[in-house]
Structures are given as C-alpha cells and as structure tokens.
Amino acid sequence: MLYNWNVIGHGPTLATLEKDLANNNIPHAYLFVGPEKVGKFRVAKSLAKILQCPNNFCHTCPTCVQIEKKCHIDTIELEDDGESVKIAELRELITRLSMTGQGRYKVVLLQNIGRLQEEATNCLLKTIEEPPEKTIFIFTAGQLGDILPTIASRMRIIHFQKLHDDVLRDALKNIKPDLSEDLLGQIITLSLGRSGKAIQLLEDPEMFTQLRDLYTQIRFLDEKASVAIKMLSVQEIAADPQTTRTFLALIAHYFRQKMLDDTTEKEKNRAINAINEIHKVLELLGHNVNPRLLLENIMIRL
C-alpha cells in the first residue's frame, strides 16, 4: 500500500481506491457498503485526509489533525449517532457546500446513509445529480437495500467484507502481544469478522463480558433450556433493538459453527434450517414485524 490507511485488512479494496487516486479517477460520490464496524467509515475518513492533505497524507499536519477531530472547515462529517438525518441538516450541509472553500475539495462524510428521512433523501439526490465543483461525497451503508437505487446508481460502489479469522488474529496479536490464546479466540469469535468490533472488545472489558455471556446464553438455549425458559429469555432480548440484532448475529455464527463441527447429518441439517430461519427473521425485522414474535418463532423451531 502507498498510504497508511489505519485499518485492519481490506487489501484489495484499498488497492482499488489507491488506483483511483493514482489515475486521478476520483468519482464525485463513493458508497462504501458492508457489515457494521468492519472498517468502512475509518477508510472513508482516511480517504478524506488523503484528498485534503497537502503533504501526501502525513497524518500530522493541521489538515489531517483537523479532519480527525471533525473540525476541518471543508470536510463535513455526519457520523452515525443513531438518529435519522433530517431535511434541515441536509439543507445546512448544502449551504456549506456552496461557500468558498479553503482546501483542495469539499468532502462530505456521511455514515450510514440509510438514516436519511425520505425528504432528506430526495434533497440529497438532487445534490448528487448536480454536485458543486470539487465536491466529493463518501457515504457508507450496511447493505444496498438500505438506500434508493436512484442514489446508488449515481455513486461508485465499493464493497467491504468481513475479515478472515487469521487476519484478525495477526492484527490483534500485533496490537497486544501478551493477549492469551483463549481470550484472543473469544474476541475473534464475538467480533464476527469485524475489525472495529474486535478492537472495541479488546479495549472494553464490559462489552466483551456482555457479548461472551450472550453467546453462552445462546449455547444454553440450544442445548439445555426448556421452552418456557426460551420464551422468557427472548422476551428480555427483544426489548432492545440493538441486543436483538446482536443476538441474531451471534446465534447465526453459533449455528454456522455447529454446521462445520457436527459430524451427524441430522445436526448439520438442523443447523442449516436454523440459519435459514435467522435470515428470514433479519429480513422481517426491516419491515417492522414484532421482534419478540420473531425470536419466539426461532426458539420454537430449534
């Protein structure tokens, strides 16, 4: 790599971006698509620094430091705070884009474009269709289905994938060489191939304990729990949307592992059926179906 992107993995993806930079073939809008906490927004922010830095992405100049601290006048960052992006925010953004710039470009970083409300989406579409001069949009999304095809069609789409366990293992051992093999293995399992989540678990013991306990609970629900206990457990899990999605991601991983590890055809088929049911539930969650009912349905079918 020509640049230090400050991210774990994604070599082929970064090579594609570096080729764009080397050939001066930079589109007016990028869309980085991939799982949550896999490194998309970190790469987006690094790309903004590369575009703006007068010293070939030095990491230390005022421009690089200001972008990192979210106070660079020509780099507008809308980080995902869990709230939807409203039309008033988009109008303010567009006003800033019309002002005279001091940097090389006006760069807009928008994390999780699926947060846009309908009116804001339509407003953004008009701006992307006729972008101000020297303006570059860099957006992220969990999946293409989160955004309108009319917007996606006007951006260069770059896909980010989950990382292989070996890539995470090498990176984490480099970050913390004294990490025990047992703890390292647990972090890799719970991160589900997402480098950002792995770093979080490495730095936040409380979060690590919560996810480890949830994974232990999944094993108990599958192997030992009665139907009544399963129903009570999912009632608590379904009360929080983030916990629900985390539970579904972990239980999908649990059954994928069982599919690989179990020797009997019966258990392999049971794991495959469970994974199929979980995928159906994830799809239905996006259509405002009651999460408790969906989780109860999974428990009944286990």
Side-chain angles (χ1 to χ4, degrees), residues 129-162:
E129 287 176 332
E130 299 178 7
E133 187 180 1
K134 291 190 175 182
T135 297
I136 298 174
F137 300 92
I138 311 173
F139 302 145
T140 71
Q143 52 191 0
L144 281 178
D146 292 343
I147 62 175
L148 291 174
T150 48
I151 287 186
S153 66
R154 287 163 173 78
M155 295 186 277
R156 181 176 297 173
I157 300 171
I158 304 290
H159 290 278
F160 286 73
Q161 306 296 332
K162 291 183 179 181

Side-chain angles (χ1 to χ4, degrees), residues 109-290:
L109 299 168
L110 199 164
Q111 186 177 26
N112 188 7
I113 192 175
R115 297 184 296 125
L116 267 67
Q117 294 181 343
E118 182 178 356
E119 192 176 8
T121 300
N122 293 331
C123 179
L124 179 64
L125 177 59
K126 293 177 183 177
T127 305
I128 293 177
E129 287 176 332
E130 299 178 7
E133 187 180 1
K134 291 190 175 182
T135 297
I136 298 174
F137 300 92
I138 311 173
F139 302 145
T140 71
Q143 52 191 0
L144 281 178
D146 292 343
I147 62 175
L148 291 174
T150 48
I151 287 186
S153 66
R154 287 163 173 78
M155 295 186 277
R156 181 176 297 173
I157 300 171
I158 304 290
H159 290 278
F160 286 73
Q161 306 296 332
K162 291 183 179 181
L163 303 179
H164 192 277
D165 286 357
D166 291 342
V167 175
L168 278 178
R169 182 179 300 277
D170 291 344
L172 294 177
K173 289 180 76 171
N174 187 54
I175 293 169
K176 196 167 185 180
D178 60 342
L179 199 64
S180 71
E181 283 298 321
D182 179 61
L183 186 55
L184 179 61
Q186 291 184 62
I187 289 175
I188 289 171
T189 294
L190 297 173
S191 67
L192 303 176
R194 298 168 296 165
S195 56
K197 177 60 71 174
I199 298 298
Q200 273 190 317
L201 295 175
L202 192 64
E203 297 175 346
D204 189 338
E206 184 178 351
M207 178 183 291
F208 168 77
T209 300
Q210 289 174 348
L211 285 188
R212 183 193 61 192
D213 291 348
L214 185 57
Y215 201 82
T216 300
Q217 183 182 9
I218 287 169
R219 184 178 293 110
F220 169 74
L221 291 173
D222 177 48
E223 297 177 353
K224 298 180 180 180
S226 66
V227 173
I229 291 177
K230 289 179 179 180
M231 295 301 105
L232 286 173
S233 296
V234 298
Q235 181 178 343
E236 295 177 2
I237 292 167
D240 179 66
Q242 184 58 49
T243 303
T244 299
R245 291 197 171 274
T246 301
F247 173 80
L248 289 169
L250 288 176
I251 197 171
H253 178 277
Y254 169 82
F255 278 109
R256 285 193 195 98
Q257 202 59 50
K258 284 185 71 70
M259 183 178 64
L260 296 173
D261 295 344
D262 284 327
T263 56
T264 67
E265 197 65 27
K266 179 181 178 181
E267 283 301 304
K268 286 183 183 293
N269 289 333
R270 191 173 81 88
I272 291 170
N273 291 334
I275 293 168
N276 289 335
E277 289 297 324
I278 293 164
H279 286 163
K280 291 177 185 176
V281 166
L282 286 168
E283 184 176 345
L284 289 170
L285 275 178
H287 295 84
N288 296 322
V289 180
N290 188 307

